[in-house]
Amino acid sequence: MAEATNELMYELLKRMNHGFTEMRRDFSEIKTELNVVRGHLIGIQTDIHNIYGILARHDERFDRIERRLDLREFAEPQRPIRP
């Protein structure tokens, strides 16, 4: 078994320090990418919210048009006309 000299310990600690530095850099990149994904998800959520708002406005307009044209009665089931 090799003797644990100061030089050997120093080299091992330098390698470990280098490995930790690389891991820190990788984690930083991962955090940046996660923040980008989070930003895209927030954008998608905002778009969906806007679409729901637009659909609600269209629904209100259709209801108003149906009331003005008296189309409500045609939406209900009709009895056959008997003379």
Side-chain angles (χ1 to χ4, degrees):
M1 185 160 137
E3 245 182 80
T5 62
N6 286 340
E7 292 83 24
L8 179 61
M9 295 296 285
Y10 179 69
E11 288 300 320
L12 287 173
L13 288 173
K14 278 187 0 184
R15 278 194 223 163
M16 287 175 58
N17 188 29
H18 180 71
F20 289 142
T21 303
E22 290 294 320
M23 283 177 41
R24 211 175 287 128
R25 189 176 302 133
D26 291 343
F27 283 134
S28 176
E29 288 177 15
I30 290 170
K31 283 171 65 175
T32 302
E33 291 175 11
L34 281 174
N35 284 332
V36 169
V37 170
R38 184 179 293 133
H40 285 293
L41 287 175
I42 289 170
I44 291 170
Q45 185 179 14
T46 303
D47 290 344
I48 290 172
H49 179 71
N50 290 338
I51 289 170
Y52 278 131
I54 291 168
L55 287 174
R57 285 196 308 264
H58 284 273
D59 197 32
E60 290 172 6
R61 289 182 69 193
F62 287 141
D63 286 342
R64 217 178 14 207
I65 289 169
E66 285 177 345
R67 278 195 306 270
R68 289 177 94 189
L69 296 175
D70 291 328
L71 295 176
R72 284 283 183 200
E73 63 190 47
F74 296 121
E76 298 169 359
Q78 298 292 319
R79 287 183 287 153
I81 301 173
R82 292 186 181 179

Short mmCIF file of all heavy atoms in Angstrom, two decimals, residues 32-48:
data_model
loop_
_atom_site.label_atom_id
_atom_site.label_comp_id
_atom_site.label_asym_id
_atom_site.label_seq_id
_atom_site.Cartn_x
_atom_site.Cartn_y
_atom_site.Cartn_z
N THR A 32 -29.57 27.59 -14.98
CA THR A 32 -29.90 28.55 -16.04
C THR A 32 -30.92 27.94 -17.00
O THR A 32 -31.90 28.60 -17.38
CB THR A 32 -28.62 28.95 -16.80
OG1 THR A 32 -27.68 29.50 -15.88
CG2 THR A 32 -28.92 29.96 -17.88
N GLU A 33 -30.70 26.69 -17.40
CA GLU A 33 -31.64 26.03 -18.31
C GLU A 33 -33.01 25.87 -17.66
O GLU A 33 -34.04 26.04 -18.33
CB GLU A 33 -31.08 24.68 -18.75
CG GLU A 33 -29.88 24.81 -19.66
CD GLU A 33 -29.25 23.47 -20.01
OE1 GLU A 33 -29.88 22.42 -19.73
OE2 GLU A 33 -28.15 23.48 -20.57
N LEU A 34 -33.06 25.54 -16.38
CA LEU A 34 -34.35 25.41 -15.70
C LEU A 34 -35.08 26.76 -15.65
O LEU A 34 -36.31 26.80 -15.80
CB LEU A 34 -34.14 24.88 -14.28
CG LEU A 34 -33.93 23.38 -14.16
CD1 LEU A 34 -33.61 23.01 -12.71
CD2 LEU A 34 -35.14 22.62 -14.64
N ASN A 35 -34.34 27.83 -15.45
CA ASN A 35 -34.97 29.15 -15.46
C ASN A 35 -35.53 29.49 -16.83
O ASN A 35 -36.59 30.10 -16.95
CB ASN A 35 -33.99 30.22 -14.99
CG ASN A 35 -33.79 30.20 -13.49
OD1 ASN A 35 -34.68 29.80 -12.75
ND2 ASN A 35 -32.62 30.62 -13.05
N VAL A 36 -34.82 29.07 -17.89
CA VAL A 36 -35.34 29.30 -19.25
C VAL A 36 -36.63 28.50 -19.46
O VAL A 36 -37.62 29.02 -20.00
CB VAL A 36 -34.26 28.92 -20.30
CG1 VAL A 36 -34.85 28.87 -21.69
CG2 VAL A 36 -33.10 29.89 -20.24
N VAL A 37 -36.63 27.24 -19.04
CA VAL A 37 -37.84 26.40 -19.16
C VAL A 37 -38.98 27.01 -18.36
O VAL A 37 -40.12 27.07 -18.82
CB VAL A 37 -37.54 24.95 -18.71
CG1 VAL A 37 -38.82 24.14 -18.61
CG2 VAL A 37 -36.58 24.29 -19.67
N ARG A 38 -38.68 27.48 -17.15
CA ARG A 38 -39.70 28.12 -16.32
C ARG A 38 -40.28 29.34 -17.03
O ARG A 38 -41.49 29.56 -17.03
CB ARG A 38 -39.10 28.52 -14.98
CG ARG A 38 -40.13 29.10 -14.02
CD ARG A 38 -39.50 29.47 -12.69
NE ARG A 38 -39.06 28.26 -11.99
CZ ARG A 38 -37.87 28.11 -11.43
NH1 ARG A 38 -36.98 29.08 -11.48
NH2 ARG A 38 -37.56 27.00 -10.82
N GLY A 39 -39.42 30.12 -17.67
CA GLY A 39 -39.90 31.29 -18.40
C GLY A 39 -40.83 30.90 -19.55
O GLY A 39 -41.85 31.54 -19.78
N HIS A 40 -40.47 29.83 -20.28
CA HIS A 40 -41.33 29.36 -21.37
C HIS A 40 -42.68 28.87 -20.83
O HIS A 40 -43.73 29.13 -21.44
CB HIS A 40 -40.65 28.25 -22.15
CG HIS A 40 -39.56 28.73 -23.06
ND1 HIS A 40 -39.80 29.50 -24.17
CD2 HIS A 40 -38.22 28.57 -23.01
CE1 HIS A 40 -38.67 29.78 -24.77
NE2 HIS A 40 -37.68 29.22 -24.07
N LEU A 41 -42.66 28.15 -19.71
CA LEU A 41 -43.91 27.67 -19.13
C LEU A 41 -44.80 28.82 -18.69
O LEU A 41 -46.03 28.77 -18.87
CB LEU A 41 -43.63 26.74 -17.95
CG LEU A 41 -43.09 25.36 -18.32
CD1 LEU A 41 -42.73 24.58 -17.05
CD2 LEU A 41 -44.08 24.59 -19.15
N ILE A 42 -44.20 29.85 -18.13
CA ILE A 42 -44.99 31.02 -17.73
C ILE A 42 -45.60 31.68 -18.97
O ILE A 42 -46.76 32.10 -18.96
CB ILE A 42 -44.12 32.00 -16.93
CG1 ILE A 42 -43.81 31.41 -15.56
CG2 ILE A 42 -44.80 33.36 -16.78
CD1 ILE A 42 -42.77 32.19 -14.77
N GLY A 43 -44.82 31.74 -20.05
CA GLY A 43 -45.36 32.29 -21.30
C GLY A 43 -46.52 31.49 -21.84
O GLY A 43 -47.53 32.04 -22.28
N ILE A 44 -46.39 30.17 -21.80
CA ILE A 44 -47.46 29.30 -22.28
C ILE A 44 -48.70 29.46 -21.40
O ILE A 44 -49.83 29.54 -21.90
CB ILE A 44 -46.99 27.83 -22.30
CG1 ILE A 44 -45.95 27.63 -23.39
CG2 ILE A 44 -48.16 26.88 -22.48
CD1 ILE A 44 -45.24 26.30 -23.32
N GLN A 45 -48.50 29.55 -20.09
CA GLN A 45 -49.62 29.73 -19.17
C GLN A 45 -50.33 31.06 -19.45
O GLN A 45 -51.57 31.13 -19.45
CB GLN A 45 -49.12 29.69 -17.73
CG GLN A 45 -50.21 29.75 -16.70
CD GLN A 45 -49.65 29.69 -15.28
OE1 GLN A 45 -48.45 29.86 -15.06
NE2 GLN A 45 -50.50 29.44 -14.32
N THR A 46 -49.57 32.10 -19.72
CA THR A 46 -50.16 33.40 -20.05
C THR A 46 -50.95 33.31 -21.34
O THR A 46 -52.06 33.86 -21.44
CB THR A 46 -49.05 34.46 -20.16
OG1 THR A 46 -48.32 34.50 -18.94
CG2 THR A 46 -49.62 35.83 -20.46
N ASP A 47 -50.39 32.63 -22.35
CA ASP A 47 -51.10 32.47 -23.62
C ASP A 47 -52.42 31.73 -23.43
O ASP A 47 -53.45 32.13 -23.98
CB ASP A 47 -50.24 31.72 -24.64
CG ASP A 47 -49.06 32.54 -25.13
OD1 ASP A 47 -49.06 33.77 -24.92
OD2 ASP A 47 -48.13 31.94 -25.71
N ILE A 48 -52.41 30.66 -22.65
CA ILE A 48 -53.64 29.90 -22.41
C ILE A 48 -54.66 30.76 -21.68
O ILE A 48 -55.85 30.74 -22.00
CB ILE A 48 -53.32 28.61 -21.62
CG1 ILE A 48 -52.56 27.64 -22.52
CG2 ILE A 48 -54.58 27.96 -21.08
CD1 ILE A 48 -52.03 26.42 -21.80
#
